[in-house]
């Protein structure tokens, strides 16, 4: 960027330097000439003055023939430093009197030739100015007085003037160049910042205002280009395809010939719980479940997960199977039961106290215990056994979900070598140094490389993984093909950004105006109250504390918002048996209380904290009712809440504030992108969002809605399954060729 501004500046400086050089070349001789002319005119005047002064005394002395006095008068006159010599010539041009300094070569002819002759005469000692004055008495000429003036001082002065002029030009050129560089630099940066802000909705400390006029016409085109570029980045071949549940079904039937799909995850998509009113079904607060459930509805198959609900055992058959979704069963849920020790060591211990903080840069130290590791290995084996038991063929397609099952791919591969194992890592992957903290790093990497395909949300996480493998294992990495060759196996490692299923308008759903009224009424808020919404699991990676601090700072900076703005935080309880999570919840509560005490008046509270599980439909109503949705994760693989908010806004209004540390920020450039650690930036984003004109909201929201609609979860799954289908086809062809050549060898032997 610095190079660009230097380049830009050079375009000004080079022509400027040329102009100055030309100017100097012609101007300096012209100035010299002018100076000489001024001085000659000055000497003419001086000559007249001196001769007028000497005229009368000279005439008197001439009349008296008093040569002594004449010589004396001449000597006194030339004491003047510039008057060099004097002479008197008779009317018949006889040199009668002269000072010793008078050059004899001049004789009496000088100055007698009329006004046109040049008064400057070159003598061996240098140039002199010669002029003569006729002395007359009663109209009769008495002779001519000749004055010779020294001109060497003119040369000296002219030299000085030249030096000053050249110096002046140099200083002037330097100053103009500096100013030009500075202006070019500033305007280039200003322009770039403007473009950046426009593309990413990035914040600037200045108050919200219209887009600068030189950038505005570029906005749509640049955004369109950026979207196109993103499409290119995210793969090829399937990009023009519109993905939906039906496309996925067709893909499974055609490309995968109806092959069996098995999903493995820790969290189950439906939890049966005992309540005083009987058994109820709950949907967990989980991004993974949100995404994979939509795919399973389209694919059928079997989903293997931990049965964690209090009524789960009562609702399965003899094979631990239950058909789901309960209202319209389309696939099988196979539950795996874990003892308290297994759950503690594998899930809470190794996965959530070890791997979770290890992969998220959220400044919580990972804890690794050998006992947790032993449980992690054991539970991975138990789930691998369940996969093997559920498989009806020797080559099922197994979709392994997340960091709970890093070892499972290798375990399944050991028994079902022909299985196509697709592992998706839903959380970020850290750099090799950070990952190196894990005492069992080689085992984890070895387990994951049992997969046929390994997916991450972003190219950045993929690269971190490849660098880590390169650092800790003996592998061959083909960067272009994005494959890792380890032992005799090949794993394809690619980015597959996850998304949501684009929602159909639910029958009986409130329109935006009704949703707004419903939520404000439920919260006892005035009808015109401005509303912000946050929806997260109560996790320290989600930046809830920083979000509240931004609300507080916004109210400090913009007191006009006190009383008018309320932020609703829905925080679904999660991993609450861990100390870290209990401490975090206490911190969030205390902060909300402190801010509320500070700004409350009457019934007004700036923050409403709801630490309870909500139904999906309720969340959607909140999204539709709010002016702004705030997603301020300190680190997040993707973040589906951001996409759910966008999908909920069919009125094309509402502003998304999005942390730059989410995978979603790589796609949703029209959100207001913030650094959640920078509280003032968060505060200004909030204020800007609340004051954003409807047209700008519409433009941003419309672009983001098209993107989330097209890049939906079916596409996410479809791209992975298409890659799997290609690899399976290649494998089939290879094994057919192998068996053909073996047959030939056998026939030859016979
Ligand atoms: C991991 C990665 C990645 C929240 N509260 C309730 C509720 N939710 C739903 C949201 C959303 C989901 O939970 C949360 O998804 P996120 O993507 O934000 O986050 P994680 O759970 O941490 O998910 C993440 C994701 O996997 C997918 O790959 O994006 O980066 O960390 O769908 O709506 N749902 C219900 N009640 C709630 O109270 N029903």
């Amino acid at each position: 960027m610095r190079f660009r501004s230097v380049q830009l500046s050079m375009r000004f400086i080079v022509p400027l330097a040329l102009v100055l050089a030309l100017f100097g070349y012609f101007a300096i001789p012209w100035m010299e000439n002018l100076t000489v002319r001024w001085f000659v005119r000055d000497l003419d005047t001086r000559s007249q003055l001196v001769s007028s002064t000497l005229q009368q005394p000279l005439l008197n002395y001439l009349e008296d023939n008093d040569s002594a006095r004449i010589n004396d008068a001449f000597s006194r006159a030339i004491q003047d430093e510039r008057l060099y010599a004097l002479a008197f010539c008779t009317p018949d041009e006889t040199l009668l009197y002269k000072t010793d300094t008078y050059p004899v070569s001049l004789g009496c002819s000088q100055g007698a030739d009329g006004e046109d002759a040049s008064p400057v005469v070159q003598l061996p000692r240098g140039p002199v100015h010669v002029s003569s004055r006729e002395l007359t008495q009663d109209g009769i000429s008495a002779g001519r007085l000749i004055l010779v003036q020294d001109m060497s001082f003119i040369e000296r002065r002219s030299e000085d003037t030249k030096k000053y002029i050249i110096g002046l030009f140099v200083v002037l050129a330097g100053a103009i160049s500096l100013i030009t560089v500075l202006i070019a630099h500033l305007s280039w940066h200003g322009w770039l910042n403007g473009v950046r802000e426009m593309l990413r909705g990035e914040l600037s400390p200045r108050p919200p205002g219209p887009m600068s006029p030189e950038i505005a016409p570029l906005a749509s085109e640049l955004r369109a280009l950026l979207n196109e570029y993103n499409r290119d980045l995210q793969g090829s071949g399937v990009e023009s395809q519109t993905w939906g549940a039906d496309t996925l079904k067709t893909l499974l039937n055609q490309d995968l010939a109806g092959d069996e799909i098995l999903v493995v995850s820790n969290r189950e998509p439906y939890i049966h719980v005992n309540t005083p009113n009987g058994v109820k079904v709950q949907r967990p607060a989980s991004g993974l479940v949100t995404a994979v459930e939509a795919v399973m509805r389209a694919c059928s198959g079997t989903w293997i997960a931990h049965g964690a609900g209090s009524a789960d055992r009562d609702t399965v058959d003899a094979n631990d199977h239950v058909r789901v979704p309960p209202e319209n069963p389309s696939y099988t849920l196979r539950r795996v039961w874990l003892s308290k020790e297994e759950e503690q060591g594998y899930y809470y211990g190794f996965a959530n106290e070890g791997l979770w903080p290890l992969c998220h840069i959220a400044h919580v130290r990972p804890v690794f215990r050998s006992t947790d590791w032993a449980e992690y290995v054991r539970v991975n084996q138990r789930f691998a056994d369940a996969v093997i038991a559920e498989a009806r063929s020797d080559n099922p397609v197994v979709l392994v979900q997340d960091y709970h099952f890093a070892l499972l791919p290798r375990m399944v591969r050991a028994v079902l070598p022909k299985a196509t194992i697709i592992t998706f890592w839903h959380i970020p992957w850290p750099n090799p140094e950070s990952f190196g903290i894990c005492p069992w790093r080689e085992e984890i990497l070895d387990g994951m490389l049992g997969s046929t395909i390994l997916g991450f949300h972003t190219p950045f996480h993929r690269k971190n993984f490849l660098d880590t493998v390169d650092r800790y294992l003996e592998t061959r990495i083909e960067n272009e093909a994005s494959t890792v060759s380890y032992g005799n196996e090949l794993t394809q490692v690619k980015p597959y950004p996850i998304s949501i299923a684009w929602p159909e308008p639910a029958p009986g759903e409130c329109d935006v105006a009704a949703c707004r009224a419903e939520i404000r009424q439920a919260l006892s808020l005035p009808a015109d109250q401005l509303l912000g919404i946050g929806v997260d699991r109560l996790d320290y990676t989600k930046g809830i504390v920083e979000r509240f601090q931004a609300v507080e700072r916004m109210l400090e900076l913009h007191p006009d918002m006190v009383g008018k703005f309320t932020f609703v935080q829905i925080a679904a309880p999660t991993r609450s048996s861990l100390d870290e999570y209990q401490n975090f919840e206490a911190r969030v509560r205390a902060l909300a209380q402190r801010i509320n005490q500070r700004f409350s008046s009457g019934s007004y509270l700036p923050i409403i904290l709801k630490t309870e599980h909500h139904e999906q439909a309720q969340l959607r109503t909140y999204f539709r009712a709010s002016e702004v949705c705030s997603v301020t994760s300190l680190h997040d693989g993707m973040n589906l809440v951001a996409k759910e908010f966008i999908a909920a806004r069919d009125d094309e209004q509402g502003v998304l504030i999005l942390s730059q540390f989410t995978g979603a920020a790589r796609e949703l450039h029209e959100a207001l992108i913030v650094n959640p650690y920078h509280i003032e930036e968060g505060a200004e984003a909030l204020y800007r969002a609340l004051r954003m004109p409807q047209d700008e909201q519409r433009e941003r929201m419309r672009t983001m809605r098209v993107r989330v609609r097209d890049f939906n979860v079916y596409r996410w799954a479809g791209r992975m399954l298409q890659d799997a289908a290609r690899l399976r086809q290649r494998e089939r062809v290879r094994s057919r060729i192998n068996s053909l050549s073996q047959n030939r060898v056998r026939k030859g032997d016979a």
Side-chain angles (χ1 to χ4, degrees), residues 285-287 290 426 457 537 542 613-614 636-640 644:
S286 154
T290 307
H426 289 258
H457 288 300
R537 287 183 302 101
K542 299 294 180 183
H613 190 271
H614 284 65
D636 218 331
M638 174 56 68
N639 194 288
L640 294 182
E644 286 164 359

Side-chain angles (χ1 to χ4, degrees), residues 355-362 402-403 424-431 435 448 455-458 460-462 464-465 541-542 633-639 661-663:
L355 289 180
W356 178 267
L358 181 77
C359 291
H360 288 90
I361 303 165
D402 230 357
Y403 62 102
F424 192 79
W425 198 261
H426 289 258
I427 62 176
W429 189 275
N431 61 45
F435 190 76
M448 292 173 78
F456 294 92
H457 288 300
T458 67
F460 182 61
H461 300 152
R462 180 200 72 113
N464 277 350
F465 178 80
T541 60
K542 299 294 180 183
S633 313
L634 305 181
H635 205 185
D636 218 331
M638 174 56 68
N639 194 288
F661 305 118
T662 60

Side-chain angles (χ1 to χ4, degrees), residues 282-292 356 360 401-403 424-428 457 461 497-500 535-539 541-542 570-575 610 612-619 623 631 633 635-642 644 662-664 716:
Q282 249 190 21
R283 300 288 310 279
S286 154
L288 180 160
V289 169
T290 307
V292 181
W356 178 267
H360 288 90
Q401 304 303 316
D402 230 357
Y403 62 102
F424 192 79
W425 198 261
H426 289 258
I427 62 176
H457 288 300
H461 300 152
I498 209 166
S499 194
I500 55 164
V535 175
D536 308 82
R537 287 183 302 101
L538 195 35
D539 194 297
T541 60
K542 299 294 180 183
I570 290 173
T574 183
R575 305 169 197 170
K610 290 177 163 290
E612 65 219 0
H613 190 271
H614 284 65
E615 290 305 315
Q616 283 281 332
Q618 280 178 296
L619 298 182
F623 287 143
V631 173
S633 313
H635 205 185
D636 218 331
M638 174 56 68
N639 194 288
L640 294 182
V641 171
E644 286 164 359
T662 60
W716 169 73

